[in-house]
Amino acid sequence: MSILSIYGCVDSDNLPCDDSTALSKVSEFPLGTAIKWDEFQLDTNYFHIAKTQFSSYTPENIFKSENLHPTRYNYNWEQADSLMSFCLNNSKRLHGHTLIWHKQLPQWIIDFQGNKSEWEEIFRLHIITIVQHFKGKIKSWDVVNEAFDEDGTLSNTLWKEKIGPGYIEKAFRYAEEADPECLLFYNDFNLESNPVKRTAVLNYLDHLRSRGVKVDGIGLQMHIDVITADATLYALAFRSVYEKNYQLHLSELDISLNPSGKNIVLNEELLLQQADIMGKIVNLYKQVPLPYQYGITFWGISDKNSWIRSNYNRMDYPLLYDDQYNPKPAYCKIKSIL
Ligand code: XIL
């Protein structure tokens, strides 16, 4: 079945839109996808699209501490190195995700018993070992992920509890020490839509910078949905980040069609709403000054592999490709805008 008969997908010249030319070829800034390791290895459709459409990869799970650092004295480099060499051989940028997060931790960290300085030692070694391992190859890291609550206060995470509220500053300092050339990002959700949280994060990072800490960029995750999407808010958010001299990464973009988890039937209206929002976001991003455009990363390729379905246990269609790897109207829309 052709894409036209499935979606009636057309580009701005009313020509049928397909994915035979790559998105990244028509884009002036990096376009990325999260990479799920098993699919990348085993699913030829997934691999083909990842390889042809996108110029930047973010490992979806294999660089998280439960996978990369499974026991105290052992690191599992195998998959990470293999993805790294694929990227080096195929001119893909690999964005490191993520050094310090309170989720997807290995059991040994959760169970670790120690005083503050012992905790700081495992924290420091974790960061230094990983950043040094990829030194010169990985040029950017999400150093700290999701450290703030919606009201703008620091979340009470394991790291804050064990190391103290200065853990964010320490994480950035250790990462810089391990690879001074690397771009260092803070990454979080709802920063695009919640000005209270975003302002708190910006003030906090500005404060770190005033203390001589290197912070290069901010990742707005952008796990958004068709009900609450608001391009006016996003325009403000993008501006507030680059005006303060932070590189802007739309780091985990997906657009849920079913945020409240109903029994929905996928229809043309929803697909077109999704395409419309995707188009507005890409349009806004094109207006971000070039030095601040770190790129847009989609949090996956096909709806069938999206984390939303498994994580929230609901049927959803948040990505650019459908379950059969056909490009959706959102794909065609952004292609016509890029
Ligand atoms: C998600 C992955 O996509 C899932 O496969 C995993 O089970 C849980 O984590 N914010 C982040 C990402 O920073 O790392 C998360 O990724 C999604 C939310």
Side-chain angles (χ1 to χ4, degrees), residues 36 60-61 64 97-98 101 104 145-146 187 189 221 223 252 299 307 310-311:
K36 270 195 158 79
E60 191 165 335
N61 290 303
K64 291 174 179 169
H97 174 80
T98 173
W101 194 24
Q104 293 182 270
N145 198 32
E146 302 183 351
N187 191 53
F189 58 90
Q221 290 183 5
H223 295 295
E252 304 184 12
W299 207 241
W307 76 297
S310 49
N311 210 70

Side-chain angles (χ1 to χ4, degrees), residues 88-101:
L88 292 172
N89 292 334
N90 290 276
S91 309
K92 307 289 181 199
R93 178 179 74 182
L94 188 59
H95 175 66
H97 174 80
T98 173
L99 294 168
I100 294 300
W101 194 24

Side-chain angles (χ1 to χ4, degrees), residues 35-286:
I35 294 289
K36 270 195 158 79
W37 183 245
D38 287 348
E39 281 76 356
F40 191 70
Q41 295 279 93
L42 302 170
D43 181 337
T44 49
N45 288 317
Y46 182 102
F47 176 80
H48 175 74
I49 294 172
K51 188 174 174 194
T52 52
Q53 297 292 322
F54 299 101
S55 56
S56 174
Y57 291 174
T58 302
E60 191 165 335
N61 290 303
I62 61 173
F63 279 51
K64 291 174 179 169
S65 49
E66 67 176 358
N67 296 316
L68 204 52
H69 195 177
T71 63
R72 184 168 178 187
Y73 299 108
N74 282 297
Y75 291 81
N76 172 18
W77 303 118
E78 203 184 316
Q79 296 174 344
D81 282 349
S82 170
L83 182 60
M84 185 76 254
S85 33
F86 178 88
C87 289
L88 292 172
N89 292 334
N90 290 276
S91 309
K92 307 289 181 199
R93 178 179 74 182
L94 188 59
H95 175 66
H97 174 80
T98 173
L99 294 168
I100 294 300
W101 194 24
H102 53 284
K103 292 188 176 164
Q104 293 182 270
L105 289 168
Q107 199 57 40
W108 76 269
I109 293 187
I110 295 166
D111 293 342
F112 185 72
Q113 302 285 331
N115 60 28
K116 197 173 168 212
S117 71
E118 288 163 331
W119 269 99
E120 195 163 328
E121 187 59 4
I122 62 164
F123 176 86
R124 191 182 74 85
L125 276 176
H126 174 78
I127 296 170
I128 299 246
T129 310
I130 295 172
V131 176
Q132 274 178 356
H133 181 86
F134 295 105
K135 191 172 179 177
K137 296 179 184 158
I138 290 193
K139 309 254 169 59
S140 60
W141 276 100
D142 287 335
V143 179
V144 177
N145 198 32
E146 302 183 351
F148 283 81
D149 285 339
E150 294 307 296
D151 65 0
T153 57
L154 261 191
S155 306
N156 283 319
T157 66
L158 171 136
W159 296 118
K160 182 179 165 215
E161 186 194 321
K162 304 297 184 190
I163 293 170
Y167 83 95
I168 299 181
E169 171 167 345
K170 288 177 176 154
F172 277 91
R173 286 193 189 276
Y174 294 144
E176 184 189 3
E177 183 189 325
D179 185 355
E181 304 291 312
C182 222
L183 291 178
L184 307 180
F185 282 77
Y186 175 78
N187 191 53
D188 211 334
F189 58 90
N190 288 351
L191 296 178
E192 62 284 347
S193 55
N194 177 353
V196 173
K197 185 176 188 180
R198 184 176 66 253
T199 305
V201 167
L202 282 166
N203 289 341
Y204 197 89
L205 298 178
D206 282 354
H207 175 67
L208 294 191
R209 277 180 164 178
S210 74
R211 293 169 52 79
V213 180
K214 175 173 145 74
V215 185
D216 300 292
I218 300 182
L220 310 188
Q221 290 183 5
M222 300 207 65
H223 295 295
I224 61 176
D225 65 76
V226 284
I227 310 286
T228 60
D230 185 338
T232 314
L233 284 184
Y234 305 154
L236 282 174
F238 295 179
R239 178 177 289 269
S240 69
V241 169
Y242 70 72
E243 276 185 350
K244 291 215 160 193
N245 205 23
Y246 293 96
Q247 292 210 30
L248 175 64
H249 186 198
L250 308 188
S251 57
E252 304 184 12
L253 178 58
D254 52 21
I255 305 180
S256 165
L257 299 185
N258 186 23
S260 51
K262 298 190 181 126
N263 281 330
I264 60 159
V265 178
L266 184 59
N267 59 39
E268 195 177 307
E269 192 191 343
L270 283 169
L271 287 166
L272 293 178
Q273 276 176 21
Q274 183 179 52
D276 181 59
I277 299 160
M278 220 40 123
K280 286 188 171 131
I281 290 169
V282 169
N283 244 324
L284 288 173
Y285 198 79
K286 282 179 73 172

